[in-house]
């Protein structure tokens, strides 16, 4: 979902070839960023026969094409932990914890992208990639571990460490296992395998009647330190941008995270800096941080996929906070944070461009805030849900955040207001492995004795495995704006949920989107680089209400289609490549009957 008052960014394709120094072809089209949320079992019962007879055939056809292109690519084999040298099975971490074992030596083994000992990866091209890549330093992994020598074994902490390490883009695989057990002491081995971390991107695209081009260079693991360094020069539908950024999540071996950024744009500029020591684990006892950002840009107003008007928007944001927690108690974590934040937005008409009917209201909000967070520790490890052939962790426990702030004229605010933001999420899993993920968000302010600029959103996702390779996925989402300002609008189009329609095609104060997919996951691991799958899909959605609706096509929109899903498993920038054919069912004459889309997204 786009942020409050923001138009969704254009979607871009990253088709990465890590075996040639991360050379990347990027293409943008009126693609889709799948809004994920589940439908009910009843909807599945209605749609499943349709998918199996029609769209699944298209998905299977797409997979067959991929198999042909792969030239008989090798089947993927999941890495397994090696047995102890003595031939005896070592006890599990849960068994060691029950026995009261203590952690002895911790051996960190960071490995290259490809394994020359595997005949499938013993190729000159893969050996060259290893030679060019600087391996992650063991100290980076050691600083991330949540356990230490001399502590008692905790299976929970080891599982949380694995989840944390797997969240790092520069790691392909993570294994934590007992290496030796002697006299109540267990030595632990931590084995990681890197991804190709250098992303050299060349962008050439056309979306919504506008071209996009550019060059990007990003190193996700600079000199093996876990530091991300980016330079990008792009020309898209909104602006031309030169961008530089630097980020490190373990500053000087600590838990502090540093992020810096600067952009010089054709319509302005932007800067940001943050230094935060977060609640990095469920049992973390304190957090603190500060951040600042500012921007100067032209904000567009879209109608029917075209820019209808523009205005100048200058803004700045700043926050300082500190937080405390008693840690993880009986599977629950509660956190309290206090801080002060600033948000200052100013708007103006821009000479030489079409002006909107009215400008948003200038606002400056300064004041203290109180933030409360509660998290239930309950995670479920799955595979072949939103990715292919990779472990995925679903947070099934309750997670909720509530923040209340007070903007005061005594501190320089433009008006007195109560500011509020909140979110809640929860997962459910049945005995037959069906999973439902539900979430909701709320933000707004209470001023002049009424609610203003409020956005309420909700989403449900449903996963129903049908076999090892087949899965039905459903999603339903909705958003509602209450007394929005002129810059607040809900967009819907090819870039956020509807295949086959122009980006930012509909807008309004209300939005609903429904998606149903029949997914297919193959065992293909093409050239030890790409996992392959397919999907047939149906999308139905609408955005309406307010002063800026699409009068040419204001009703419900739907499409059907099928496509390939390709995951670049060995690159740090390996999202899911979508190659889709979509058929819009509620088109106007200016929309083609068949849409071919190539996009990258974060999930299947």
């Amino acid at each position: 979902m786009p942020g409050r008052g923001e138009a969704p960014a254009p979607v871009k394709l990253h088709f990465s070839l890590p075996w040639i120094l991360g050379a990347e072809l990027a293409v943008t089209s009126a693609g889709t960023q799948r809004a994920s949320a589940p439908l009910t079992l009843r909807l599945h019962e209605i749609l499943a026969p349709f998918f199996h007879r029609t769209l699944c055939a298209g998905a299977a056809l797409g997979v067959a094409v991929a198999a042909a292109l792969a030239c008989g690519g090798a089947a993927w084999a999941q890495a397994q932990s090696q047995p102890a040298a003595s031939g005896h099975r070592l006890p599990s971490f849960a068994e060691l914890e029950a026995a009261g074992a203590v952690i002895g030596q911790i051996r960190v083994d960071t490995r290259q992208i490809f394994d020359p000992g595997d005949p499938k990866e013993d190729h000159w091209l893969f050996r060259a990639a290893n030679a060019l890549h600087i391996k992650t330093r063991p100290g980076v992994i050691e600083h991330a571990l949540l356990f230490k020598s001399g502590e008692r074994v905790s299976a929970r902490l080891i599982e949380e460490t694995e989840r944390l390490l797997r969240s790092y883009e520069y790691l392909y695989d993570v294994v934590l296992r007992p290496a030796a057990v002697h006299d109540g002491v267990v030595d632990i081995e931590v084995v990681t395998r890197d991804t190709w971390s250098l992303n050299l991107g060349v962008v050439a695209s056309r979306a919504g009647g506008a071209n996009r081009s550019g060059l990007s260079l990003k190193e996700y693991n600079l000199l093996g330190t876990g530091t991300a360094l980016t330079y990008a020069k792009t020309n898209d539908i909104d602006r031309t941008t030169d961008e530089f950024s630097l980020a490190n999540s373990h500053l000087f071996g600590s838990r502090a995270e540093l992020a810096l950024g600067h952009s010089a744009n054709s319509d302005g500029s932007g800067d940001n800096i943050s230094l935060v020591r977060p609640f990095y684990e469920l049992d973390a006892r304190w957090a603190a941080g500060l951040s600042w950002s500012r921007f100067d840009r032209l904000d567009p107003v879209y109608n029917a996929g075209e820019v209808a008007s523009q205005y100048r928007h200058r803004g700045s944001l700043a926050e300082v906070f500190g937080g405390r927690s008693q840690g993880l108690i009986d599977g629950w974590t509660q956190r309290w944070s206090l801080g002060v934040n600033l948000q200052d937005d100013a708007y103006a008409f821009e000479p030489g461009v079409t002006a909107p009917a009215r400008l948003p209201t200038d606002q400056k909000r300064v004041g203290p805030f109180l933030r409360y967070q509660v998290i239930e520790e309950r995670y479920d490890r799955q595979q072949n849900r939103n990715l292919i052939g990779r472990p995925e962790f679903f947070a099934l426990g309750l997670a909720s955040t509530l923040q209340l702030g007070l903007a005061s004229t005594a501190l320089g605010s433009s008006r007195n207001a109560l500011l509020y933001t909140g979110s809640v999420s929860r997962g459910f899993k049945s005995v037959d492995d069906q999973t439902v993920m539900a979430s909701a968000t709320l933000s707004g302010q209470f001023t002049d004795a009424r609610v203003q600029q409020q956005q309420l959103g909700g989403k449900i996702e449903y996963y129903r495995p049908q076999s090892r390779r087949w899965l039905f996925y459903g999603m339903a989402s909705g958003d509602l704006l209450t007394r929005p300002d002129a810059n607040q609008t809900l967009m819907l189009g090819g870039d956020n949920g509807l295949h086959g329609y122009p980006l930012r095609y509909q807008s309004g104060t209300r939005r609903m989107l429904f998606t149903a997919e029949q997914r297919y996951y193959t065992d293909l691991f093409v050239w030890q680089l790409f996992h392959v799958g397919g999907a047939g899909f149906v999308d139905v959605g609408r955005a309406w209400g307010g002063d800026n609706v699409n009068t040419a096509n204001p009703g419900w929109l739907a499409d059907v289609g099928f496509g390939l899903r390709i995951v670049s498993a060995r690159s740090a920038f390996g999202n899911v490549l979508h190659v889709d054919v979509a058929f819009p069912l509620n088109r106007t004459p200016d929309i083609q009957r068949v849409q071919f889309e190539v996009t990258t997204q974060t999930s299947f």
Side-chain angles (χ1 to χ4, degrees):
M1 287 175 225
R4 185 161 54 94
E6 297 180 7
V11 180
K12 62 180 178 179
L13 158 70
H14 293 281
F15 182 63
S16 50
L17 307 177
W19 65 91
I20 50 173
L21 303 184
E24 172 188 14
L25 172 65
V27 178
T28 301
S29 73
T32 62
Q33 181 179 357
R34 305 312 307 275
S36 304
L39 300 179
T40 63
L41 178 60
R42 179 63 178 167
L43 181 58
H44 161 263
E45 292 171 348
I46 294 172
L47 294 179
F50 168 73
F51 277 112
H52 278 293
R53 288 195 297 266
T54 57
L55 299 182
C56 291
L61 177 62
V63 172
V65 173
L69 293 175
C71 303
W76 175 72
Q78 185 176 6
Q80 302 292 331
S81 299
Q82 298 298 318
S86 63
H88 298 294
R89 184 188 74 86
L90 291 175
S92 67
F93 285 119
E95 292 169 334
L96 290 166
E97 179 180 3
V102 174
I103 299 173
Q105 291 185 351
I106 300 174
R107 297 196 288 271
V108 174
D109 182 6
T110 59
R111 298 182 180 179
Q112 273 287 5
I113 308 165
F114 300 102
D115 180 10
D118 183 348
K120 299 175 184 177
E121 299 183 9
D122 187 17
H123 189 280
W124 72 267
L125 214 49
F126 296 157
R127 292 193 296 271
N130 283 349
L132 292 169
H133 173 72
I134 299 178
K135 189 172 60 173
T136 301
R137 299 180 183 182
V140 173
I141 305 302
E142 291 169 358
H143 289 310
L145 301 180
L146 303 180
F147 52 86
K148 301 177 182 178
S149 297
E151 296 179 344
R152 290 192 177 274
V153 172
S154 169
R156 184 201 67 78
L157 270 181
I158 291 171
E159 291 171 0
E160 186 177 357
T161 299
E162 181 186 357
R163 293 196 301 268
L164 175 65
L165 291 175
R166 287 189 179 275
S167 70
Y168 297 160
E169 296 170 309
Y170 50 84
L171 295 182
Y172 167 69
D173 196 17
V174 176
V175 175
L176 294 91
R177 59 194 176 202
V181 180
H182 49 86
D183 301 324
V185 176
V186 56
D187 296 335
I188 296 178
E189 186 176 31
V190 181
V191 182
T192 64
R193 186 170 294 282
D194 281 4
T195 57
W196 177 264
S197 56
L198 179 61
N199 175 14
L200 176 61
V202 178
V203 181
S205 64
R206 183 172 178 81
N211 294 319
R212 174 169 181 159
S213 61
L215 174 69
S216 65
L217 176 65
K218 181 168 185 177
E219 172 57 62
Y220 290 79
N221 192 11
L222 184 65
L223 302 178
T225 64
T227 300
L229 181 65
T230 303
Y231 170 75
K233 183 179 181 64
T234 58
N235 181 8
D236 63 19
I237 190 172
D238 292 322
R239 58 186 55 89
T240 299
T241 301
D242 287 276
E243 180 181 7
F244 169 82
S245 66
L246 175 72
N248 186 290
S249 58
H250 296 284
L251 188 63
F252 303 122
S254 70
R255 299 289 183 178
E257 301 178 357
L258 173 68
L260 302 169
H262 171 74
S263 63
N265 310 322
S266 58
D267 60 349
S269 61
D271 297 283
N272 67 274
I273 181 171
S274 68
L275 179 61
V276 178
R277 198 270 196 185
F279 289 109
Y280 61 90
E281 63 169 321
L282 291 171
D283 199 42
R285 304 306 174 94
W286 67 276
L290 55 89
S291 61
W292 171 82
S293 65
R294 65 111 205 147
F295 59 86
D296 180 1
R297 68 187 184 218
L298 286 179
D299 281 354
V301 177
Y302 277 84
N303 188 282
E306 301 291 338
V307 175
S309 60
Q310 293 176 292
Y311 56 88
R312 175 67 56 183
H313 183 188
R314 296 182 177 90
S316 59
L317 301 95
E319 179 179 300
V320 178
F321 81 95
R324 293 288 296 175
S325 172
Q326 292 183 336
L328 186 66
I329 301 176
D330 297 328
W332 291 83
T333 293
Q334 298 184 70
R335 298 165 176 169
W336 295 89
S337 299
L338 281 171
V340 177
N341 59 19
L342 159 73
Q343 182 172 348
D344 190 3
D345 293 284
Y347 308 91
F349 292 112
E350 182 73 7
V353 301
T354 303
R358 66 184 180 97
L359 287 172
T361 304
D362 290 353
Q363 289 192 84
K364 184 176 183 180
R365 292 168 286 189
V366 186
F369 68 85
L370 172 66
R371 183 163 56 228
Y372 171 73
Q373 184 179 33
V374 59
I375 302 173
E376 179 188 7
E377 184 191 31
R378 193 156 62 89
Y379 294 87
D380 184 46
R381 180 179 177 133
Q382 294 287 350
Q383 188 166 296
N384 287 349
R385 295 297 188 268
N386 294 321
L387 298 174
I388 308 175
R390 300 291 301 274
E392 303 172 52
F393 298 94
F394 283 71
L396 300 182
L398 176 68
S400 182
T401 301
L402 175 64
Q403 180 172 313
L404 298 176
L406 183 63
S408 171
T409 55
L411 297 175
S413 299
S414 54
R415 64 176 65 184
N416 294 321
L418 174 66
L419 312 176
Y420 54 91
T421 59
S423 65
V424 61
S425 63
R426 177 77 157 79
F428 306 88
K429 184 179 179 181
S430 67
V431 292
D432 57 348
D433 214 24
Q434 299 181 62
T435 303
V436 173
M437 303 296 295
S439 62
T441 59
L442 176 69
S443 64
Q445 58 180 318
F446 186 80
T447 184
D448 297 332
R450 63 178 185 172
V451 168
Q452 297 189 54
Q453 301 179 28
Q454 176 177 280
Q455 179 171 346
L456 173 65
K459 185 169 70 171
I460 301 175
E461 294 174 283
Y462 172 62
Y463 302 81
R464 181 186 177 91
Q466 297 154 317
S467 67
R468 188 174 67 87
R469 295 186 178 182
W470 291 94
L471 178 138
F472 176 82
Y473 169 83
M475 178 279 292
S477 68
D479 298 273
L480 173 66
L481 294 176
T482 302
R483 298 187 186 91
D485 206 347
N487 64 329
Q488 287 182 272
T489 187
L490 301 171
M491 309 298 298
L492 184 63
D495 50 343
N496 66 338
L498 288 177
H499 293 81
Y501 292 90
L503 78 168
R504 311 171 195 180
Y505 187 61
Q506 286 187 335
S507 60
T509 58
R510 294 171 175 82
R511 178 178 58 195
M512 295 192 71
L513 178 66
F514 303 91
T515 293
E517 287 186 356
Q518 182 66 53
R519 298 178 174 181
Y520 180 66
Y521 309 86
T522 77
D523 286 332
L524 288 172
F525 194 16
V526 181
W527 305 317
Q528 301 298 103
L529 298 172
F530 304 106
H531 295 299
V532 181
F537 54 83
V538 173
D539 303 313
V540 179
R542 185 188 180 196
W544 72 100
D547 301 328
N548 188 37
V549 299
N550 182 343
T551 56
N553 200 355
W556 287 89
L557 305 176
D559 60 62
V560 298
F562 61 89
L564 288 175
R565 303 291 180 263
I566 304 172
V567 180
S568 179
R570 297 302 183 94
S571 62
F573 39 94
N575 290 333
V576 183
L577 172 67
H578 290 223
V579 182
D580 292 322
V581 178
F583 305 89
L585 303 181
N586 306 95
R587 70 183 190 89
T588 52
D590 58 325
I591 299 177
Q592 295 182 355
R593 294 179 182 274
V594 180
Q595 297 287 329
F596 178 72
E597 304 171 345
V598 184
T599 62
T600 52
Q601 300 175 30
T602 58
S603 67
F604 204 94

